Amino acid sequence: MSAEFALQIDEVDVNSDTGRAIAREQRLAFTPGLIADGLLIAHGRLSTRALRRKFTTMVKTTQSTQPEGS
């Protein structure tokens, strides 16, 4: 999917202090969890199809909120 979307991926161990803080903040019920732009967008078994749909929606939303000429 990195060929389709500009992704920066940071993997955080949920057993680390940072991971526990993120899990608490995002109310992550179980792992793995995927957080994009500060929002929990998926958790558990991650479906490529569902992620592609979510990323496509996020890109369209970002593009529609940018001022013209950006």
Side-chain angles (χ1 to χ4, degrees):
M1 291 180 57
S2 62
E4 298 173 55
F5 303 98
L7 301 172
Q8 175 185 335
I9 299 171
D10 298 317
E11 186 174 342
V12 179
D13 186 340
V14 74
N15 293 312
S16 69
D17 290 341
T18 301
R20 283 190 291 275
I22 292 169
R24 247 189 330 272
E25 178 184 297
Q26 295 295 326
R27 298 182 177 167
L28 180 63
F30 49 91
T31 60
L34 181 63
I35 299 167
D37 291 337
L39 300 172
L40 179 65
I41 63 168
H43 63 274
R45 187 169 184 203
L46 305 177
S47 156
T48 302
R49 180 188 291 172
L51 290 176
R52 183 174 284 115
R53 269 195 313 265
K54 189 66 154 174
F55 288 149
T56 299
T57 300
M58 291 174 73
V59 167
K60 286 179 182 177
T61 300
T62 300
Q63 290 172 344
S64 69
T65 60
Q66 290 180 350
E68 266 188 58
S70 295

